[in-house]
Amino acid sequence: MTNLTRLANSAVEQFYEGITAPAAWQDALNSLRLIAGSAHVALTTWERTRNITVLHESIELPQKCRQQFSDYYHVLDPTRDNIDRIAVGSWYIDRQHLNSRVIGCSPFYQEFMRDYGLDSIIATPLVRDGTGDSFLVFQFGLNEAHSWCAPLELCEVLPHIRRALLLRRRFSALAIEKSICADVLAGLQTPLLVVDATARIIIANKAAESALKKYRCINIAAERLVLTGVDSPHFASLLAHACGGEARRVAGAMLAGRVDGPPLQILVAPLPEQHAPSSGGRSPLALVLLRDVRTPFDTPVKLLQQLYGLTASEARIALGVLHGGTPSSLAASSSVSMATVRTQLSAVFQKTGTRRQAELVQLLGTFSMVTVTGTDPTIVCA
């Protein structure tokens, strides 16, 4: 086995390892640099919609060079005008695709490349899709690549780089989706849990964690959701119906904790079977929602003002209706006349597109699920 073959084999392993451990790609790119005999090597993506070139990974490129390329010189690179003619897996060699006059007049070559002792570029398209066009790019020093020919070992690595790049993109997208889902769950005021048929907790948002500390009738034991006392059999029955094997899976609700604490409404609903974990026999999962029936809705005044253009007084009247207030009680609590309350309520109906108090409660009740962080939330509406 030659040294180039060993480097190629090592690079393949490192690229696949780098799907979940990105640092491994540095070693992989260095192996490619040694195979190609180049001064530098980089993985880049041209995002055409934003007309920017993202430099993902590079070897031996100074930070200043990377920064100047990203900030300015990428738009002056003549490669961008020629790379579309190069098929995936083929090679773009600037000394063959550009004439000497273009290179001699190019600020990219004469100002940028020369400042870093670079003379030529060789690149190959790896992936072309909606995410962007990705390339493997080698930069050579003076006179290093004028008679360059792609080594066989390097060409054999390219399909593996493509697969690893696509897989890493997918894993990165999944990580972003997971982060978004976590942030959404954390922002819900409604306590929410996902449990399996044994009440083992799969997911619990922050509101659920707080609720489990607040109520005596419900807690966690051995990583399972447990109801105490007389409520336990009822909850077990709801869970059995929601996660019931061959039987029809149905949702159910109960009121717990009426004897020894604040009443807690519990809704148990089946989740689609495809969401069951792949291990452990694919036990069906259930969604568990908790709500203290005495807890008022919590919708920030600022949110209503920004969404519907309500004045502060109109927003307070709207929230008063949401919390069960009548025009007379709202007039008394605000120290204003009934006529003023009716005028403000009429303005609320007009601005929110509702006609009756019941419609207003239904509309504003949806916002009670979301926590708006910060003292002055800003809502941008199209």
Side-chain angles (χ1 to χ4, degrees):
M1 181 185 295
T2 67
N3 186 48
L4 291 184
T5 301
R6 282 193 291 270
L7 286 171
N9 291 341
S10 177
V12 169
E13 293 179 4
Q14 290 157 349
F15 272 116
Y16 285 122
E17 181 184 345
I19 293 170
T20 55
W25 278 22
Q26 291 286 306
D27 295 330
L29 287 178
N30 192 50
S31 296
L32 297 187
R33 183 183 67 84
L34 295 174
I35 294 173
S38 65
H40 306 150
V41 62
L43 272 173
T44 67
T45 294
W46 180 9
E47 296 184 8
R48 294 176 185 259
T49 55
R50 295 192 294 163
N51 195 28
I52 63 172
T53 301
V54 180
L55 203 161
H56 301 293
E57 308 276 354
S58 68
I59 290 294
E60 301 296 336
L61 278 178
Q63 178 58 36
K64 183 179 179 181
C65 175
R66 292 165 55 99
Q67 194 64 48
Q68 288 181 344
F69 177 79
S70 298
D71 290 346
Y72 178 65
Y73 280 104
H74 71 276
V75 298
L76 302 178
D77 185 355
T79 302
R80 296 176 7 139
D81 299 326
N82 296 271
I83 198 68
D84 283 342
R85 295 196 292 266
I86 308 301
V88 172
S90 298
W91 292 92
Y92 164 84
I93 302 175
D94 59 1
R95 298 293 168 172
Q96 296 177 11
H97 291 85
L98 300 176
N99 60 50
S100 58
R101 182 183 61 81
V102 171
I103 292 176
C105 296
S106 168
F108 181 82
Y109 280 91
Q110 302 308 318
E111 295 175 10
F112 177 66
M113 295 274 285
R114 293 284 179 175
D115 281 352
Y116 293 97
L118 301 175
D119 184 62
S120 58
I121 290 176
I122 293 174
T124 180
L126 294 171
V127 175
R128 285 193 170 113
D129 60 17
T131 304
D133 297 356
S134 295
F135 307 93
L136 179 65
V137 183
F138 296 95
Q139 300 90 11
F140 292 83
L142 299 176
N143 301 318
E144 284 183 343
H146 287 184
S147 59
W148 190 84
C149 181
L152 176 62
E153 292 83 358
L154 183 58
C155 295
E156 291 175 344
V157 174
L158 293 183
H160 298 284
I161 303 176
R162 291 188 201 102
R163 296 189 192 101
L165 181 61
L166 290 171
L167 286 170
R168 191 159 107 169
R169 281 187 184 178
R170 181 56 182 153
F171 272 77
S172 177
L174 289 173
I176 293 173
E177 291 174 14
K178 180 180 178 181
S179 177
I180 292 172
C181 290
D183 289 343
V184 170
L185 286 175
L188 293 179
Q189 293 191 69
T190 300
L192 176 153
L193 304 99
V194 175
V195 302
D196 66 11
T198 67
R200 181 172 61 92
I201 298 173
I202 309 299
I203 295 173
N205 66 356
K206 290 184 178 180
E209 293 173 357
S210 298
L212 293 175
K213 296 176 182 177
K214 176 181 178 181
Y215 299 100
R216 288 181 290 178
C217 64
I218 190 168
N219 54 59
I220 299 175
E223 300 183 349
R224 283 173 167 76
L225 191 62
V226 176
L227 267 70
T228 58
V230 296
D231 297 318
S232 179
H234 193 176
F235 178 69
S237 176
L238 292 179
L239 197 57
H241 283 90
C243 300
E246 299 298 327
R248 187 168 66 93
R249 300 170 63 204
V250 296
M254 62 179 289
L255 202 61
R258 289 168 291 182
V259 176
D260 57 355
L264 182 65
Q265 188 180 66
I266 302 176
L267 171 67
V268 182
L271 287 176
E273 292 187 5
Q274 63 264 30
H275 296 311
S278 57
S279 60
R282 299 187 64 84
S283 171
L285 300 179
L287 176 68
V288 178
L289 299 174
L290 311 176
R291 179 175 177 264
D292 185 339
V293 296
R294 300 184 306 182
T295 300
F297 294 108
D298 181 17
T299 302
V301 170
K302 282 282 188 182
L303 180 62
L304 298 185
Q305 288 182 263
Q306 292 173 3
L307 282 176
Y308 299 109
L310 304 181
T311 66
S313 297
E314 290 167 352
R316 284 192 288 270
I317 289 296
L319 291 179
V321 172
L322 177 64
H323 296 158
T326 63
S328 58
S329 66
L330 295 175
S333 62
S334 302
S335 300
V336 297
S337 67
M338 280 286 292
T340 298
V341 170
R342 290 195 180 98
T343 299
Q344 292 173 335
L345 191 55
S346 177
V348 169
F349 287 153
Q350 181 180 3
K351 291 179 181 180
T352 59
T354 56
R355 294 175 296 177
R356 298 186 297 273
Q357 292 186 32
E359 291 181 4
L360 182 64
V361 170
Q362 184 177 18
L363 173 68
L364 301 186
T366 59
F367 297 117
S368 67
M369 295 182 65
V370 181
T371 299
V372 180
T373 57
T375 57
D376 188 14
T378 298
I379 308 298
V380 179
C381 299

